[in-house]
Amino acid sequence: MEQLEKSIYDLITETSTNLPKDVRRAIKKAKAAENAGTRAAMSLDTITNNIQMADDNVSPICQDTGLPTFKIKTPIGVNQLEIKAAIKRAIATATKDAKLRPNAVDSLTGANSGDNLGDGLPVVKFEQWEKDYIEMKLILKGGGCENKNIQYSLPTELEGLGRAGRDLDGIRKCILHSVYQAQGQGCSAGFIGVGIGGDRSSGYDLAKEQLFRHVEDTNPNPDLAKLEQYIVEKANTLGIGTMGFGGEATLLGCKVGVMHRIPASFYVSVAYNCWAYRRMAININPTTGEIIDWHYQDGEKIEFKDQSSEEAPKKIVELQAPITEEQIRELQVGDVVSITGRMYTGRDAIHHHLMSHDAPVDLNGQIIYHCGPVMQKDDAGDWHVRAAGPTTSIREEPYQGDIMKKFGIRAVIGKGGMGPKTLAALSEHGGVYLNAIGGAAQYYADCIKGVDGVDLMEFGIPEAMWHLRVEKFTAVVTMDSHGNSLHADVDKSSLEKLSAYKEKVFS
Ligand SMILES: O=C(O)C[C@H](O)C(=O)O
Ligand code: SF4
């Protein structure tokens, strides 16, 4: 199987950089649903531009590689050890070539292995089958949407929906609730895979297996087909919208699988996938290792060329650090800002570090970007940003307010919004939360014109503090210094809408 490693490398690159055709079609539909001129429509413009840029640059659609997971079926007699070894080599090479971000972190020490290999990683699952070729599927599911997966143990009580019993209607309620609880944090509009039954681990496996189904297929079980259709229709009335900005497109696909359970347990497991729905599959010749076929190739491939919005936002506020408190106090939820100049990246490790240490640079009046980029060093030793979208900000909720006050930081950029503690600190200190478009890693990488330095590299590439020079980096004010939070508003109104689905639908 001489060609095997190259075939796997191609599968990885294609999965990371070129969104499948069925997913593109679903995103096009979402665009048609959002009303022109809204924040949600503007976000979708950025998303579709980003999809096109990733394809053109053969660079990651989103900076988060996720936990690469391979599912493989082999004819009897094929050497699975050889396949696993080839996967590891291909993963390491794709990481070196910046097609993947180094994403494997030692859970105890926090050390990043640098090549996406580590204990238990990548995840590789084999099965045998009677066919005469190898089938290899790969999913790159990012961390923000993974954190929004949820598992329900029936019977249970659900906010907005009341009691969910051990029947199809209880399942219906759990799935609707799973979309509500994700809000925009998993980079909506999303796709969900649902597993009914099993135990905690097989239930989640079943849910994730559904994510390999075709977006446009129909469930062979008529009850589940009805349920899938119902969920997509109703979830899109919750008003969560793209990135949780409010709007019409909240859920682009729902696929439900079922397995038996044991009498005492009844699980409904939901795997939430962001719009950057990166999964692909190939068939491989077991003698040569060459690719025979690519999956998800039916129908038209939508190209998102010239997708800039016809209606530009009315008011764009130019910001350049250092920013004064006065400038910040003028900003209101809904304003669009365009940043030129310096910003510093900082995510989990940096926030934790800054609680008990001095900052490596003067952060007074500065902007922190919640981002773990994909970086590549050239032969001259200079760093280049290959992908750089925002990460989920809520993880920094315990630290953010204190850190802003301690160092005089005026603005943080991330996605998904933050909670009441940060909102209070923004009012008290004079700060603002800016929401960038999650997953738009190429779009933002293009706004970054230079890397002026890096600190705390010992935390690994995604967690280090990168000093970035940006031009016209656009984001939306979603939490201001006057106590307003778009996230809190959308959460409240979507919970009210969810309550409309309390009554029994399926018996
Ligand atoms: O790790 C990241 O860069 C982002 C993550 O996928 C997230 O959605 O928060
Ligand atoms: S940043 Fe958003 S698009 Fe990227 S992996 Fe995380 S959830 Fe998905």
Side-chain angles (χ1 to χ4, degrees), residues 53-65:
M53 288 167 88
D55 198 354
D56 293 346
N57 303 340
V58 198
S59 283
I61 297 163
C62 174
Q63 75 288 340
D64 187 3
T65 286

PDB file of all heavy atoms in Angstrom, residues 53-65:
ATOM      1  N   MET A  53     -12.394  31.230   0.736  1.00  0.00           N
ATOM      2  CA  MET A  53     -10.967  31.523   0.923  1.00  0.00           C
ATOM      3  C   MET A  53     -10.204  30.256   1.331  1.00  0.00           C
ATOM      4  O   MET A  53      -9.081  30.018   0.867  1.00  0.00           O
ATOM      5  CB  MET A  53     -10.791  32.583   2.021  1.00  0.00           C
ATOM      6  CG  MET A  53     -11.217  33.958   1.605  1.00  0.00           C
ATOM      7  SD  MET A  53     -11.340  35.072   3.028  1.00  0.00           S
ATOM      8  CE  MET A  53      -9.669  35.672   3.087  1.00  0.00           C
ATOM      9  N   ALA A  54     -10.812  29.447   2.199  1.00  0.00           N
ATOM     10  CA  ALA A  54     -10.152  28.221   2.657  1.00  0.00           C
ATOM     11  C   ALA A  54      -9.909  27.288   1.472  1.00  0.00           C
ATOM     12  O   ALA A  54      -8.838  26.683   1.336  1.00  0.00           O
ATOM     13  CB  ALA A  54     -11.015  27.530   3.710  1.00  0.00           C
ATOM     14  N   ASP A  55     -10.911  27.203   0.614  1.00  0.00           N
ATOM     15  CA  ASP A  55     -10.819  26.357  -0.564  1.00  0.00           C
ATOM     16  C   ASP A  55      -9.715  26.894  -1.501  1.00  0.00           C
ATOM     17  O   ASP A  55      -8.812  26.147  -1.931  1.00  0.00           O
ATOM     18  CB  ASP A  55     -12.199  26.398  -1.263  1.00  0.00           C
ATOM     19  CG  ASP A  55     -12.395  25.254  -2.223  1.00  0.00           C
ATOM     20  OD1 ASP A  55     -11.440  24.497  -2.441  1.00  0.00           O
ATOM     21  OD2 ASP A  55     -13.507  25.124  -2.768  1.00  0.00           O
ATOM     22  N   ASP A  56      -9.740  28.181  -1.753  1.00  0.00           N
ATOM     23  CA  ASP A  56      -8.753  28.782  -2.662  1.00  0.00           C
ATOM     24  C   ASP A  56      -7.325  28.691  -2.100  1.00  0.00           C
ATOM     25  O   ASP A  56      -6.376  28.446  -2.829  1.00  0.00           O
ATOM     26  CB  ASP A  56      -9.077  30.271  -2.911  1.00  0.00           C
ATOM     27  CG  ASP A  56     -10.373  30.445  -3.694  1.00  0.00           C
ATOM     28  OD1 ASP A  56     -10.870  29.446  -4.259  1.00  0.00           O
ATOM     29  OD2 ASP A  56     -10.907  31.572  -3.729  1.00  0.00           O
ATOM     30  N   ASN A  57      -7.184  28.912  -0.778  1.00  0.00           N
ATOM     31  CA  ASN A  57      -5.835  28.917  -0.177  1.00  0.00           C
ATOM     32  C   ASN A  57      -5.366  27.527   0.252  1.00  0.00           C
ATOM     33  O   ASN A  57      -4.256  27.382   0.758  1.00  0.00           O
ATOM     34  CB  ASN A  57      -5.800  29.784   1.092  1.00  0.00           C
ATOM     35  CG  ASN A  57      -6.249  31.210   0.840  1.00  0.00           C
ATOM     36  OD1 ASN A  57      -6.241  31.670  -0.294  1.00  0.00           O
ATOM     37  ND2 ASN A  57      -6.641  31.909   1.888  1.00  0.00           N
ATOM     38  N   VAL A  58      -6.251  26.535   0.121  1.00  0.00           N
ATOM     39  CA  VAL A  58      -5.998  25.186   0.674  1.00  0.00           C
ATOM     40  C   VAL A  58      -5.483  25.319   2.117  1.00  0.00           C
ATOM     41  O   VAL A  58      -4.462  24.754   2.518  1.00  0.00           O
ATOM     42  CB  VAL A  58      -5.027  24.358  -0.206  1.00  0.00           C
ATOM     43  CG1 VAL A  58      -5.138  22.874   0.135  1.00  0.00           C
ATOM     44  CG2 VAL A  58      -5.309  24.553  -1.683  1.00  0.00           C
ATOM     45  N   SER A  59      -6.244  26.085   2.903  1.00  0.00           N
ATOM     46  CA  SER A  59      -5.904  26.332   4.306  1.00  0.00           C
ATOM     47  C   SER A  59      -7.126  26.038   5.171  1.00  0.00           C
ATOM     48  O   SER A  59      -8.258  26.064   4.675  1.00  0.00           O
ATOM     49  CB  SER A  59      -5.503  27.790   4.492  1.00  0.00           C
ATOM     50  OG  SER A  59      -4.203  27.982   4.015  1.00  0.00           O
ATOM     51  N   PRO A  60      -6.927  25.809   6.484  1.00  0.00           N
ATOM     52  CA  PRO A  60      -8.042  25.387   7.330  1.00  0.00           C
ATOM     53  C   PRO A  60      -9.238  26.347   7.315  1.00  0.00           C
ATOM     54  O   PRO A  60      -9.067  27.557   7.430  1.00  0.00           O
ATOM     55  CB  PRO A  60      -7.426  25.343   8.733  1.00  0.00           C
ATOM     56  CG  PRO A  60      -5.964  25.147   8.502  1.00  0.00           C
ATOM     57  CD  PRO A  60      -5.650  25.846   7.222  1.00  0.00           C
ATOM     58  N   ILE A  61     -10.439  25.764   7.188  1.00  0.00           N
ATOM     59  CA  ILE A  61     -11.682  26.545   7.232  1.00  0.00           C
ATOM     60  C   ILE A  61     -11.782  27.207   8.595  1.00  0.00           C
ATOM     61  O   ILE A  61     -12.040  28.395   8.705  1.00  0.00           O
ATOM     62  CB  ILE A  61     -12.907  25.618   7.026  1.00  0.00           C
ATOM     63  CG1 ILE A  61     -12.857  24.979   5.651  1.00  0.00           C
ATOM     64  CG2 ILE A  61     -14.215  26.373   7.249  1.00  0.00           C
ATOM     65  CD1 ILE A  61     -13.754  23.775   5.496  1.00  0.00           C
ATOM     66  N   CYS A  62     -11.574  26.412   9.641  1.00  0.00           N
ATOM     67  CA  CYS A  62     -11.527  26.939  11.000  1.00  0.00           C
ATOM     68  C   CYS A  62     -10.180  26.560  11.602  1.00  0.00           C
ATOM     69  O   CYS A  62      -9.634  25.504  11.276  1.00  0.00           O
ATOM     70  CB  CYS A  62     -12.659  26.364  11.848  1.00  0.00           C
ATOM     71  SG  CYS A  62     -12.499  26.884  13.565  1.00  0.00           S
ATOM     72  N   GLN A  63      -9.665  27.432  12.498  1.00  0.00           N
ATOM     73  CA  GLN A  63      -8.355  27.148  13.109  1.00  0.00           C
ATOM     74  C   GLN A  63      -8.401  25.931  14.020  1.00  0.00           C
ATOM     75  O   GLN A  63      -7.371  25.319  14.276  1.00  0.00           O
ATOM     76  CB  GLN A  63      -7.852  28.375  13.885  1.00  0.00           C
ATOM     77  CG  GLN A  63      -8.529  28.654  15.230  1.00  0.00           C
ATOM     78  CD  GLN A  63      -9.940  29.181  15.093  1.00  0.00           C
ATOM     79  OE1 GLN A  63     -10.306  29.683  14.052  1.00  0.00           O
ATOM     80  NE2 GLN A  63     -10.742  29.049  16.143  1.00  0.00           N
ATOM     81  N   ASP A  64      -9.606  25.578  14.521  1.00  0.00           N
ATOM     82  CA  ASP A  64      -9.660  24.444  15.454  1.00  0.00           C
ATOM     83  C   ASP A  64      -9.792  23.124  14.700  1.00  0.00           C
ATOM     84  O   ASP A  64     -10.835  22.815  14.136  1.00  0.00           O
ATOM     85  CB  ASP A  64     -10.825  24.604  16.439  1.00  0.00           C
ATOM     86  CG  ASP A  64     -10.793  23.524  17.506  1.00  0.00           C
ATOM     87  OD1 ASP A  64      -9.846  22.711  17.497  1.00  0.00           O
ATOM     88  OD2 ASP A  64     -11.709  23.477  18.345  1.00  0.00           O
ATOM     89  N   THR A  65      -8.714  22.370  14.757  1.00  0.00           N
ATOM     90  CA  THR A  65      -8.638  21.058  14.117  1.00  0.00           C
ATOM     91  C   THR A  65      -9.558  20.049  14.794  1.00  0.00           C
ATOM     92  O   THR A  65      -9.926  19.032  14.212  1.00  0.00           O
ATOM     93  CB  THR A  65      -7.157  20.622  14.205  1.00  0.00           C
ATOM     94  OG1 THR A  65      -6.436  21.401  13.270  1.00  0.00           O
ATOM     95  CG2 THR A  65      -6.944  19.159  13.994  1.00  0.00           C
TER      96      THR A  65
END
